Amino acid sequence: DGNPRNKLSLRSYIDLKGGRELDLFAYYVDRFSAVQMNEPPARIPAYLRLDLRYGWHASESLVCSVGIQNILNSQHREYVSIMGNSYSEIPRTVYIKTTLQF
């Protein structure tokens, strides 16, 4: 049917001293078959994804953070393109973010 049978997500937001934050995100998606027009079903294997974010409130209006997405794997398949039998591979990503609120 194109949908995983089981999905689970857990999130943890931890406020540390000194205006610091540590956030953890875990996602589990069960294997499934993506049905496409005029194509055999494409199999997407189950995956576990773990993301981590560290933030720092430098001031009342400035937040700096660094994060890593997809820590456990260099990449994983999440879905199949509707217009063909191509997979979308989600890579491991490292990011730096600065937010200024005014």
Side-chain angles (χ1 to χ4, degrees):
D1 65 10
N3 293 313
R5 184 173 182 155
N6 299 297
K7 290 196 242 181
L8 175 69
S9 66
L10 299 171
R11 295 177 181 214
S12 172
Y13 301 96
I14 303 168
D15 290 329
L16 305 169
K17 292 181 181 179
R20 296 172 294 142
E21 304 167 331
L22 183 63
D23 304 334
L24 300 166
F25 309 98
Y27 307 90
Y28 170 78
V29 178
D30 206 0
R31 65 188 169 99
F32 67 99
S33 295
V35 179
Q36 302 175 48
M37 239 191 296
N38 302 324
E39 295 285 337
R43 309 232 184 277
I44 305 296
Y47 65 88
L48 177 64
R49 176 178 151 193
L50 183 64
D51 299 348
L52 173 71
R53 177 192 163 272
Y54 174 79
W56 173 55
H57 290 259
S59 70
E60 197 171 299
S61 59
L62 180 66
V63 180
C64 302
S65 59
V66 61
I68 304 173
Q69 296 174 319
N70 206 21
I71 292 171
L72 302 175
N73 301 297
S74 62
Q75 62 186 22
H76 69 269
R77 246 180 240 167
E78 278 198 4
Y79 58 89
V80 175
S81 167
I82 298 207
M83 299 304 293
N85 204 8
S86 62
Y87 299 101
S88 291
E89 297 283 345
I90 307 303
R92 180 179 297 133
T93 305
V94 177
Y95 67 89
I96 298 172
K97 179 178 176 182
T98 303
T99 305
L100 180 60
Q101 299 175 347
F102 50 93

